[in-house]
Amino acid sequence: MYIYDEFDRTFLHERVNEFRDQVVRRLSGELSEEEFKPLRLMNGVYLQLHAYMLRIAIPYGTLSAAQMRALAHVARRYDRGYGHFTTRQNIQFNWIKLDELPDAMADLAAAGMHGLQTSGNCIRNTTTDQWAAATPEEIEDPRLYAEIIRQWSTLHPEFTYLPRKFKIAITAAKHDRAAIRVHDIGLRLYRKDGQTGFEVIVGGGLGRTPFIGKTVREFLPREHLLSYLEAILRTYNAGGRRDNIYKARIKIQVHEIGTEEFSRRVEEEWAQLKDGALTLDDAALDAIRAHFQVPDFEALEDGGPELAAAKADPAFARWYANAVAPHRVPGHAIVTLSLKPVGGPPGDATADQMDAIADLADRYAYGEIRVAHEQNLTLPHVRQKDLLALWQVLDAQGLATPNIGLISDIIACPGLDYCSLANARSIPLAQDLTKRFADNDRIADIGRVHLNISGCINACGHHHVGHIGILGVEKQDQEFYQITLGGKANHKAKLGELLGPAVPESEVVDVVERILDTYLELRTSPAETFIAAVQRLGIEPFKDSAYAAR
């Protein structure tokens, strides 16, 4: 965990007081909604269909148990008893009253949390691997660099009013769990000839015009990270389009002028910044690293009699095989908590669940919690001998559904139930799909399938990169859904291919089921995953079965 200092705490409280004054002026009529809008957006406050929504940043997805309790308190005291975890590793509260927003923000600031730069045309929350500093497959903790980027980008005077919002993601592992190739900037941390640095990927993004990012620098030594990011942002800020909101993202700039020309402009700008004040020497890195509180891991061995005995319970064994991953420290494990119960809204957690998770983190996981972009939570450091006790409480709280990475582990945006931009609902469709695929044996046999749902073309549900992607569209004043197949968000990122005409809401679950039945019929063996079968066969067999009953 990164521990804020007195400067950070003072800054947050001053920002809350500033916003409190702005709310008073809005309620008195001194500010119109149009005048208030840019002020509230700077603090993460949106006006949605039914109420104001408060989005709180969770930097690189890392929470302390105390911060999770603060979120539970806000959900219980100011909202309707729950919060919604997002694909940006943030949390949203959908029902807070305007006059109570400053008090909610003050309570969160006391726990070191805020909504700064969770909205607006600025650099948003930098995301990373939810298994960071726990997985044995990474070369270094990427959160160190995410924190450096957070400090550099917060209220950056040049980049507060960019042409459009800007998102950065980092991974340091072979397997990309941060979807870096569909971000404005993706950073892959690796070693080359004994030196640590980054592959720099620019111009990824989803929305109405999706692109997979392009590599603009194969290897950037880590000391040059901030100066190179500054050069990219300056190039974008100077050349990005401001005349058309739909063409304002950096992906359009890279596409229109080409990767080679964009890289040339960045290198030209970087030549003026390289080896200057933004250089990250060892002292600068050590200063940030010193603020990270590293767990004092107990000396344990892998396995042990407690774990072996626990696996005799079939329900525990199923959950263990699905939700538990290896840890870099012997005797420990990474545990993913499913926020996708059968019939539940994906990514939602109640205040009681948040309190329970905080207690479990303190008791069994060194007080630390992570948010995954798949809208689940992770306890990154759990002692293996405590896994059975942990599972028993998670199961009682509805947080142990053994569906991680399976068809019912659905990513979904809030959709038309909340969002004023949406064309169709996402949550009810996700709930119906989890009910259809509620049988644990069945979904385990189907195997790994990523199903993502977006309620509009803005693609907050990442439908373009779902193995099965579902996009809500409006057709003759009714909700219809387009379906894509073959998308991937990992290190081999790929955009899905449109299957055919949009189908009405009443047919979507049946269409998905026919697609999966076709996969089960045509796979070479249970070892061939759904996405591998789509890559081998193409979409035609699935298209034929999907529309056969129409």
Side-chain angles (χ1 to χ4, degrees):
M1 282 292 303
Y2 182 85
I3 306 301
Y4 281 172
D5 59 19
E6 190 59 36
F7 174 86
D8 295 309
R9 290 188 287 271
T10 300
F11 169 71
L12 289 184
H13 286 295
E14 289 176 350
R15 190 61 180 251
V16 170
N17 290 335
E18 179 183 75
F19 184 68
R20 188 183 299 277
D21 176 67
Q22 293 164 354
V23 169
V24 168
R25 287 189 286 147
R26 173 69 188 105
L27 292 172
S28 70
E30 184 180 344
L31 291 175
S32 67
E33 175 56 35
E34 185 178 355
E35 292 169 323
F36 181 57
K37 180 178 179 180
L39 302 176
R40 62 173 169 79
L41 288 176
M42 289 179 181
N43 292 280
V45 179
Y46 289 71
L47 182 57
Q48 295 205 302
L49 277 178
H50 311 294
Y52 285 100
M53 179 268 282
L54 174 62
R55 180 181 293 155
I56 296 300
I58 302 174
Y60 35 92
T62 298
L63 283 169
S64 68
Q67 288 175 324
M68 182 63 91
R69 290 190 185 94
L71 294 175
H73 161 72
V74 168
R76 188 178 289 115
R77 166 65 181 81
Y78 301 104
D79 205 275
R80 295 186 176 180
Y82 67 94
H84 176 74
F85 290 96
T86 77
T87 55
R88 269 241 72 65
Q89 298 180 314
N90 294 324
I91 188 170
Q92 295 179 178
F93 296 105
N94 291 300
W95 299 101
I96 300 181
K97 297 175 182 178
L98 179 58
D99 61 344
E100 293 185 332
L101 271 169
D103 290 338
M105 289 178 170
D107 291 349
L108 289 167
M113 306 188 77
H114 59 81
L116 299 177
Q117 296 188 198
T118 60
S119 178
N121 295 335
C122 57
I123 300 171
R124 302 288 187 87
N125 185 29
T126 297
T127 56
T128 191
D129 187 349
Q130 66 269 22
W131 293 1
T135 177
E137 61 176 293
E138 73 182 9
I139 66 158
E140 190 176 342
D141 185 352
R143 296 176 305 155
L144 171 68
Y145 301 96
E147 174 59 28
I148 288 169
I149 293 171
R150 184 194 70 81
Q151 295 191 19
W152 161 77
S153 64
T154 300
L155 303 185
H156 194 300
E158 275 191 72
F159 307 140
T160 301
Y161 296 100
L162 294 166
R164 199 71 176 90
K165 58 188 175 183
F166 205 92
K167 301 177 180 180
I168 302 173
I170 311 174
T171 187
K174 183 178 179 180
H175 182 84
D176 178 13
R177 282 174 288 269
I180 64 171
R181 284 166 173 77
V182 290
H183 280 74
D184 297 292
I185 295 178
L187 299 168
R188 181 176 70 89
L189 186 65
Y190 71 107
R191 289 198 179 101
K192 181 180 180 182
D193 300 328
Q195 189 177 19
T196 301
F198 299 89
E199 177 188 2
V200 183
I201 301 158
V202 177
L206 302 176
R208 76 174 52 234
T209 312
F211 284 102
I212 302 298
K214 308 294 192 302
T215 298
V216 296
R217 191 166 249 274
E218 290 286 351
F219 185 81
L220 176 75
R222 67 179 183 177
E223 62 265 27
H224 297 308
L225 173 63
L226 289 186
S227 60
Y228 203 78
L229 291 181
E230 186 112 351
I232 292 172
L233 267 294
R234 283 186 176 182
T235 301
Y236 169 54
N237 206 17
R241 294 184 60 173
R242 298 176 187 268
D243 63 318
N244 187 331
I245 192 173
Y246 303 120
K247 297 183 178 181
R249 297 292 291 269
I250 194 173
K251 61 187 178 182
I252 302 299
Q253 184 185 18
V254 173
H255 175 70
E256 288 185 343
I257 68 174
T259 307
E260 186 175 339
E261 173 60 17
F262 183 85
S263 299
R264 186 196 66 76
R265 295 183 188 182
V266 170
E267 295 290 328
E268 185 178 274
E269 184 66 41
W270 187 47
Q272 304 174 52
L273 300 169
K274 185 180 179 183
D275 300 322
L278 291 174
T279 301
L280 294 169
D281 57 19
D282 289 340
L285 292 170
D286 289 343
I288 299 296
R289 193 178 284 113
H291 279 269
F292 276 89
Q293 192 174 60
V294 179
D296 184 15
F297 289 108
E298 190 175 337
L300 299 166
E301 298 294 328
D302 281 328
E306 299 96 342
L307 183 57
K311 289 181 180 179
D313 182 336
F316 172 83
R318 181 189 294 276
W319 172 82
Y320 177 88
N322 176 257
V324 179
H327 197 282
R328 65 181 180 84
V329 177
H332 293 76
I334 303 167
V335 177
T336 301
L337 283 55
S338 174
L339 297 184
K340 319 290 177 61
V342 173
D348 279 11
T350 68
D352 288 346
Q353 286 176 324
M354 288 188 240
D355 276 335
I357 292 165
D359 291 345
L360 291 171
D362 274 340
R363 195 179 314 157
Y364 300 125
Y366 303 92
E368 192 168 325
I369 303 149
R370 307 282 177 78
V371 183
H373 91 270
E374 296 92 346
Q375 298 175 286
N376 291 314
L377 299 177
T378 296
L379 296 177
H381 312 299
V382 178
R383 291 175 287 269
Q384 292 176 14
K385 65 181 182 180
D386 294 330
L387 285 170
L388 177 60
L390 171 67
W391 169 72
Q392 289 170 336
V393 180
L394 291 176
D395 192 43
Q397 289 287 336
L399 296 165
T401 306
N403 64 347
I404 302 301
L406 304 180
I407 183 63
S408 59
D409 184 11
I410 296 168
I411 293 176
C413 71
L416 195 55
D417 287 308
Y418 297 99
C419 182
S420 58
L421 301 176
N423 298 314
R425 294 168 298 166
S426 301
I427 293 172
L429 179 56
Q431 292 171 307
D432 288 344
L433 283 161
T434 61
K435 292 174 185 175
R436 179 68 62 90
F437 296 98
D439 183 85
N440 288 328
D441 289 330
R442 185 188 186 194
I443 65 174
D445 182 42
I446 293 170
R448 181 167 289 274
V449 179
H450 300 164
L451 192 151
N452 301 352
I453 306 174
S454 298
C456 77
I457 198 65
N458 289 303
C460 295
H462 294 192
H463 68 276
H464 293 294
V465 288
H467 297 168
I468 300 174
I470 300 177
L471 167 65
V473 296
E474 184 181 346
K475 190 174 179 181
Q476 298 174 343
D477 295 324
Q478 296 182 25
E479 294 170 274
F480 276 67
Y481 296 84
Q482 294 178 349
I483 297 173
T484 56
L485 293 185
K488 293 187 292 183
N490 62 12
H491 61 289
K492 297 181 179 178
K494 182 178 182 294
L495 301 175
E497 187 176 350
L498 185 63
L499 193 64
V503 298
E505 182 272 336
S506 60
E507 297 182 20
V508 175
V509 177
D510 290 336
V511 167
V512 170
E513 186 168 42
R514 289 197 293 271
I515 288 169
L516 292 173
D517 285 345
T518 301
Y519 154 66
L520 293 174
E521 180 184 344
L522 298 179
R523 68 184 180 183
T524 55
S525 74
E528 184 179 41
T529 62
F530 174 80
I531 190 65
V534 173
Q535 290 172 330
R536 176 175 61 86
L537 297 165
I539 69 168
E540 288 305 318
F542 303 97
K543 181 177 181 178
D544 291 343
S545 62
Y547 296 100
R550 302 194 78 206

